[in-house]
Amino acid sequence: MGLEGKGTSSFFRDFLDECGGSAVIDGGFATELERHGADLNDQLWSAKCLVSSSSHLVRRVHLDYLDAGANIILTASYQATIQGFEAKGFSREEGVTLLRRSVEIAREAREIYHDRCTKDSSDFMRNERYRKRPILIAASVGSYGAYLADGSEYIGDYGDAVTVQTLKDFHRERVKVLVDAGADLIAFETIPNKLEAQAYAELLEEEGIETPAWFSFSCKDESNVVSGDSIFECASIADSCKQVLAVGVNCTAPRFIHGLISSIKKATSKPVLVYPNSGETYIAESNQWVKSNGLAEDDFVPYIGKWRDAGASLFGGCCRTTPNTIRGIAEAIYGKVQDKCI
């Protein structure tokens, strides 16, 4: 891909340059697993597929997003934690193995995709720039609230007993395992409050982790993350952490994205990433998604150009978005995406 050996500080800029200035992140994962037949009614959620015979479905979803044009695919580790696996009866060693497996499956999917493109280039992938585009594996790290599986990731209220140290201790081994497994990036996703952002920043510094990271926050409006903390303050924490090479938002309604980009740009000059939800709202009490005012799944794709003009560089989808969404984003950025490599 041409990025091997790059220093942390230049890694993401070089990646974006190879992508032509903008890059495509993949889309919703759990809903795609369910569409392919997985039963995710479990506290492990999508990570359940790492511990069952459904791991082939994880690989299939990765390939679907690569076929759609993604430059970055996220591992199935959002809700995968050693503590969570232990609660389900697995040993610590088994939990470590399952975390590593999430990265390995994504790497396998990338290799399969590259092999298909090479073999089928004469028939299917005549767009050389698209066929040889850089592809990175981002290890997904969900918030402490995701582990709790009680919906607190959507409000950011962990209670007074949870401190920065609590969060560092919770995430420490998990992050180290994902880095050691060979991920290209660490994607700290759906960060709901300033407290957890500070914990991540301190953890990266304390452990001397050189793998580049991004911080992506879950927001309730154009100015604030779901806890009520200012997105400007949250982005400023990311800006001050040298390991963090991009800052943005995910798991957020599309109608807030433009304003959030402006708010983030005031706090940092680092690349901005956005991967919003379909526009529906998750109700934790009933475990359901409900329609909300604003843009529907594919309807936010026409806004990619405006979001890019506002200063964002990386675009994808979060909950309830699909490979069709990502294909639309890729076409908005690169033009018509060629047929898939199969």
Side-chain angles (χ1 to χ4, degrees):
M1 179 184 76
L3 296 177
E4 295 82 357
K6 295 290 186 182
T8 304
S9 61
S10 63
F11 176 88
F12 224 68
R13 296 290 185 186
D14 292 338
F15 166 71
L16 287 173
D17 285 345
E18 284 202 29
C19 292
S22 299
V24 182
I25 305 169
D26 66 8
F29 209 87
T31 45
E32 284 302 293
L33 286 171
E34 290 174 328
R35 188 172 68 83
H36 288 306
D39 177 9
L40 303 184
N41 186 22
D42 191 282
Q43 282 196 322
L44 291 177
W45 200 39
S46 57
K48 179 183 178 183
C49 289
L50 298 172
V51 303
S52 70
S53 59
S54 301
S55 61
H56 68 285
L57 297 180
V58 175
R59 189 181 301 105
R60 181 174 177 180
V61 173
H62 286 321
L63 285 167
D64 286 346
Y65 281 119
L66 289 172
D67 284 333
N71 296 107
I72 301 174
I73 54 174
L74 289 112
T75 60
S77 53
Y78 175 81
Q79 205 145 321
T81 64
I82 294 171
Q83 298 90 332
F85 287 131
E86 287 181 324
K88 299 294 289 187
F90 294 92
S91 69
R92 177 168 290 269
E93 292 73 22
E94 289 170 330
V96 168
T97 298
L98 291 167
L99 274 172
R100 292 185 62 87
R101 186 65 185 136
S102 69
V103 177
E104 291 167 358
I105 293 172
R107 289 168 63 96
E108 290 166 6
R110 178 172 62 182
E111 184 174 348
I112 291 169
Y113 179 78
H114 278 151
D115 286 347
R116 288 178 178 176
C117 287
T118 300
K119 292 175 182 178
D120 297 342
S121 60
S122 61
D123 295 323
F124 293 105
M125 300 295 291
R126 294 187 174 89
N127 185 327
E128 187 81 357
R129 177 180 172 188
Y130 174 75
R131 181 166 62 87
K132 293 188 175 181
R133 73 191 191 279
I135 296 170
L136 299 180
I137 307 300
S140 172
V141 175
S143 68
Y144 179 66
Y147 156 71
L148 296 176
D150 60 359
S152 60
E153 66 193 294
Y154 299 108
I155 58 174
D157 183 3
Y158 295 159
D160 294 337
V162 175
T163 65
V164 166
Q165 190 62 48
T166 304
L167 296 172
K168 287 193 292 186
D169 292 342
F170 174 78
H171 288 294
R172 192 179 306 273
E173 186 173 2
R174 171 199 198 184
V175 170
K176 290 166 66 176
V177 168
L178 291 169
V179 168
D180 291 342
D184 301 308
L185 300 165
I186 314 168
F188 294 99
E189 300 189 277
T190 322
I191 306 172
N193 53 42
K194 187 168 59 174
L195 185 76
E196 198 148 23
Q198 187 63 45
Y200 288 145
E202 292 184 15
L203 176 59
L204 289 171
E205 182 65 30
E206 289 171 6
E207 295 298 329
I209 290 173
E210 296 184 356
T211 301
W214 79 45
F215 280 12
S216 184
F217 297 90
S218 178
C219 299
K220 66 178 183 178
D221 55 37
E222 294 185 344
S223 304
N224 303 286
V225 301
V226 292
S227 66
D229 293 332
S230 159
I231 185 62
F232 178 86
E233 293 180 0
C234 291
S236 296
I237 292 172
D239 183 66
S240 67
C241 181
K242 70 179 191 308
Q243 290 93 338
V244 175
L245 301 186
V247 187
V249 296
N250 75 294
C251 209
T252 297
R255 65 185 181 277
F256 300 136
I257 297 298
H258 194 278
L260 285 163
I261 295 169
S262 299
S263 297
I264 293 169
K265 294 291 288 183
K266 293 174 183 176
T268 184
S269 61
K270 295 179 180 182
V272 175
L273 54 93
V274 295
Y275 49 119
N277 288 341
S278 63
E280 296 170 291
T281 300
Y282 181 70
I283 307 300
E285 292 78 8
S286 60
N287 193 32
Q288 291 181 325
W289 290 89
V290 299
K291 295 289 185 182
S292 58
N293 294 329
L295 306 171
E297 175 192 319
D298 292 323
D299 289 340
F300 75 69
V301 171
Y303 287 82
I304 296 298
K306 292 183 178 179
W307 294 344
R308 182 163 53 179
D309 291 343
S313 302
L314 299 100
F315 310 89
C318 197
C319 301
R320 312 282 281 186
T321 60
T322 71
N324 284 337
T325 315
I326 302 312
R327 183 174 293 273
I329 293 172
E331 291 180 355
I333 293 173
Y334 298 120
K336 179 73 173 174
V337 173
Q338 304 296 308
D339 293 331
K340 57 186 179 180
C341 299
I342 58 175

